[in-house]
Every structure is written in structure tokens, then in C-alpha cells.
Amino acid sequence: MHFLSDAIEDYVTNHSEDEPAILKELDRETNLKTLQPRMLSGHFQGRILSVLSKIINPNTILEIGTFTGYSAICLAEGLAKDGMLHTIDINEELYVFQQKYFEKSGFKDQIKQYTGDALEIIPEIDAKFDLVFIDADKPNYVNYFDLIIDKMNSGGVILSDNVLWSGKVVEKLKKGDKSTEALLEYNKKLKEDPRIETVLLPIRDGLTVSRVI
């Protein structure tokens, strides 16, 4: 998931905004108690999500893929005063974990948790979005995009994570690798869709920023 040298990555992190104490605590507990802690956004990407959200100052955020809640808290830092973040995860076992840190963060009243299939939940959310963060199962990225694009406000931003997929997007596609195949289709779609303007950033495992025209 890392394309830069450790020295450069350390320098970049050390010269970026410090990680809040609550998120350091969340990171530690995620590493202690989950099987795939690498799914967590982490210090550097988390600060990117935070500053992008603060620049946009969204009234409504949708996050597809909560995991332990790290990225949700980062995004919530930029919410408008009465804004709301809707976050969806299919793993019901993480609900209490997420809830604990949302309460500690001070954003619990501005974060609405959903557990279940995002493809079923998204159409039921009665809101238009200023900011969306997609970080869930890769084979459904195109489906998520198709569901949210008509629920985006003009000028809204869609952030898509893991779009470089450990560099597999530029390697020979292996038979049966559905996630890489899906991301190749998704990245092509974002580039060609006339409703958005897109920049793919080589941050961590790849982060695409798409602005709705």
C-alpha cells in the first residue's frame, strides 16, 4: 500500500498536521482488536480527509465503509455547524466500537450509523450530499457511484479510496481477481464520466477526488 520510501513517508507525516489524541487511541485499539487494522485510514490520510472536509465545509456527508470509525471522525471535523454524517458498514460487530469513539470524539450527535448492505441503505437516506467517501468492497464501487451521483449537490466531492490497489491496477490482471478488475472499470468510469472532474492522487493506496460539475 506504500509507493514512497519509508524516509519520504515519515518526512511527509512529520510535516503534516498532528494526529489528534482520540484518533491515536482509536488506532491503537483497532490494531489490538481487529483482524485487518490496515483498513484504517491512519494519520496522514486521515489528516487529508480532515482538511478536505474543512475546505468543503459540508452540510451532509456520506461514508460507505465505516470500519472502526477513524475516517468518519476525520470527515466530521469539517462538518457545518448543524451538518450530519451518514456512515454505513456491513459488519454489525463493529457498531459498538464505532459508537464508543464517536461519543469520545464529540461528534456523536452529528454522526448517524447504519449497519447493513449499502446498496439497500443509500436509496433510503433522504438527503443530498456535499461530500462522499467510498471505502468499501471494491467490486461494488461502480454500483455505489451510480447510486450516489444523482444524490450529489452541484460542486460536491466524491472521494474514492484504494484506487491503486497496491499497484495491481498497472500489473497484468490475474484470472479471478475481481477487485482489481472492478477498480480498473471504476477508474475508467471516473475519468470518462462528463458529470464529474477527477484527479487520482497517489496517496497511500490511491485516493481519487471527483468534483461534481
Side-chain angles (χ1 to χ4, degrees):
M1 293 177 67
H2 300 277
F3 304 103
L4 300 175
S5 70
D6 289 343
I8 290 293
E9 287 205 354
D10 287 344
Y11 185 87
V12 167
T13 300
N14 291 335
H15 289 79
S16 298
E17 193 71 15
D18 291 339
E19 182 181 36
I22 180 68
L23 293 178
K24 287 183 181 180
E25 182 184 343
L26 197 166
D27 190 324
R28 284 195 299 272
E29 188 167 353
T30 297
N31 277 273
L32 287 170
K33 295 184 177 179
T34 67
L35 295 175
Q36 293 181 298
R38 62 179 289 182
M39 291 172 60
L40 184 136
S41 291
H43 177 183
F44 178 58
Q45 186 177 19
R47 291 304 86 201
I48 292 171
L49 296 177
S50 172
V51 78
L52 286 174
S53 185
K54 288 171 181 174
I55 290 168
I56 297 165
N57 192 216
N59 285 302
T60 310
I61 301 174
L62 171 66
E63 178 183 51
I64 307 171
T66 317
F67 190 42
T68 55
Y70 190 104
S71 53
I73 293 171
C74 295
L75 293 167
E77 292 175 9
L79 274 170
K81 183 179 179 181
D82 297 318
M84 181 64 65
L85 185 151
H86 302 265
T87 185
I88 307 169
D89 201 275
I90 199 164
N91 188 350
E92 62 183 17
E93 294 180 358
L94 292 174
Y95 187 92
V96 174
F97 189 118
Q98 299 159 7
Q99 190 176 54
K100 179 176 75 171
Y101 279 96
F102 292 159
E103 290 177 354
K104 285 188 174 185
S105 73
F107 293 113
K108 69 181 181 66
D109 294 333
Q110 289 182 278
I111 298 177
K112 183 171 176 57
Q113 294 170 263
Y114 301 81
T115 301
D117 186 342
L119 295 176
E120 297 177 358
I121 293 170
I122 293 169
E124 300 300 317
I125 299 176
D126 184 19
K128 298 276 281 186
F129 305 115
D130 300 304
L131 178 60
V132 172
F133 182 44
I134 303 175
D135 185 16
D137 54 315
K138 313 313 165 193
N140 272 316
Y141 267 36
V142 168
N143 295 327
Y144 295 141
F145 178 86
D146 288 340
L147 277 179
I148 65 171
I149 188 62
D150 291 331
K151 294 171 74 71
M152 297 295 301
N153 286 316
S154 178
V157 172
I158 301 168
L159 304 174
S160 308
D161 200 17
N162 305 119
V163 290
L164 293 179
W165 207 227
S166 299
K168 292 179 183 178
V169 292
V170 294
E171 298 172 356
K172 183 177 179 181
L173 183 63
K174 294 180 180 179
K175 186 177 180 180
D177 187 350
K178 294 182 180 180
S179 291
T180 301
E181 185 176 7
L183 285 169
L184 289 169
E185 179 186 356
Y186 182 69
N187 291 339
K188 184 174 185 290
K189 183 181 183 69
L190 294 188
K191 166 67 175 175
E192 297 177 351
D193 195 306
R195 295 170 293 183
I196 56 176
E197 48 189 4
T198 290
V199 177
L200 197 163
L201 304 174
I203 294 169
R204 200 164 176 251
D205 197 27
L207 180 70
T208 298
V209 180
S210 303
R211 177 183 176 273
V212 179
I213 298 172

